[in-house]
Amino acid sequence: MKSFKTLLAGGALAIASMSSQAALLSINFSTDPNAEADFLSSLVGTKATENFNGLGGAYESIGAGDQNKWENRSSVFNTAVGTFELVTAGQLTGNPHNDQLMIESRRTGEFGRQSLASNSKDYWLDSNDAELVTWTFGAPLSGSFNAFGFYIADATDQGATLTLKFTNGTSTQVVIPAFNTNGNVGYVTIKSDVNVIGGVLEFINSNNHDGWGIDDVTVGTVPEPSTLLLMGLGLLGLGAARRRNAAQ
């Protein structure tokens, strides 16, 4: 479980997008320490998780300060939940590799993002103050998932654009407002009532100075509303039958 500090008042952001063609999409940002556990417990069937711990192993330190230390660096990281790519570099001052994403840890540090690491071997993916980073969804769950969740830290000015393609042949694009999490960490969940074939989440640095970290990304399936309705009706029917039997 991540260390949540200075929790926001209200602690949640919810967005719903629906049209006659696209799927129903819900997006939630929460500072509740139980948010990840609640999301994981709602998943059914196969899921994929990326914690970035297996992407380290290339530790470098070329000087003092967070910008000069990292566990690994690359412009592209292929993961269990898709591909993360630095598309547009951010500030160069004091940053020797502003064109690359970083794998960070407690020993390398990065201002405002350390709370993503629960121990010295727990790594996260860092935007390295990039202006634009994309997460492109891919295998192994293409066409068989409808939900994903992740921790994000220190994203005070970070907005995002989410584009998804669905198995019913439709697609949707949603603009997500900046998460007010400067120096803090929150958990994001995104759910659809139709399975997702693929898509892209674009993280946009609007102020050209702030970065963010992401960790413990899980892609999976939550029961569709129709499934939940049928389950509810089934439970109601079972309860009615028990009451009838008890009355006899």
Side-chain angles (χ1 to χ4, degrees), residues 203-218:
F203 296 93
I204 305 163
N205 183 348
S206 58
N207 290 338
N208 193 30
H209 63 76
D210 198 26
W212 49 270
I214 189 172
D215 200 10
D216 295 335
V217 184
T218 299

Side-chain angles (χ1 to χ4, degrees), residues 8-246:
L8 304 175
L13 166 69
I15 305 171
S17 174
M18 182 177 65
S19 72
S20 58
Q21 297 179 340
L24 174 64
L25 194 67
S26 66
I27 302 172
N28 188 72
F29 170 78
S30 176
T31 54
D32 183 345
N34 297 314
E36 181 190 29
D38 291 343
F39 173 70
L40 295 179
S41 66
S42 71
L43 299 179
V44 295
T46 306
K47 65 178 183 293
T49 298
E50 180 59 64
N51 59 21
F52 304 104
N53 294 343
L55 297 178
Y59 175 76
E60 291 182 84
S61 178
I62 61 174
D66 296 347
Q67 298 284 12
N68 294 307
K69 301 175 183 179
W70 48 82
E71 299 289 352
N72 200 355
R73 58 185 171 89
S74 177
S75 60
V76 178
F77 281 105
N78 295 311
T79 75
V81 294
T83 301
F84 291 85
E85 180 178 3
L86 192 154
V87 177
T88 306
Q91 58 183 345
L92 180 58
T93 303
N95 190 344
H97 298 289
N98 71 322
D99 60 342
Q100 294 182 313
L101 298 170
M102 298 291 181
I103 301 297
E104 302 281 5
S105 69
R106 281 186 175 180
R107 67 173 173 174
T108 62
E110 199 66 37
F111 174 77
R113 277 91 99 178
Q114 293 90 335
S115 53
L116 285 170
S118 57
N119 58 64
S120 60
K121 296 296 184 180
D122 186 11
Y123 301 161
W124 73 85
L125 177 72
D126 199 273
S127 72
N128 200 24
D129 299 339
E131 287 191 17
L132 177 61
V133 176
T134 60
W135 168 22
T136 303
F137 304 101
L141 297 178
S142 180
S144 61
F145 75 94
N146 65 3
F148 51 95
F150 55 88
Y151 285 105
I152 193 165
D154 193 33
T156 184
D157 64 353
Q158 204 72 28
T161 299
L162 174 64
T163 303
L164 293 176
K165 296 180 180 180
F166 303 100
T167 52
N168 65 0
T170 65
S171 63
T172 191
Q173 185 175 83
V174 177
V175 176
I176 304 173
F179 300 119
N180 187 20
T181 62
N182 193 28
N184 301 327
V185 57
Y187 195 75
V188 179
T189 57
I190 300 176
K191 303 176 183 179
S192 168
D193 65 340
V194 179
N195 280 353
V196 178
I197 296 176
V200 178
L201 184 57
E202 298 177 305
F203 296 93
I204 305 163
N205 183 348
S206 58
N207 290 338
N208 193 30
H209 63 76
D210 198 26
W212 49 270
I214 189 172
D215 200 10
D216 295 335
V217 184
T218 299
V219 177
T221 303
V222 293
E224 296 181 8
S226 58
T227 303
L228 293 175
L229 177 59
L230 289 175
M231 290 173 61
L233 291 175
L235 291 174
L236 287 174
L238 181 60
R242 286 179 175 174
R243 287 193 295 272
R244 285 196 300 271
N245 291 336

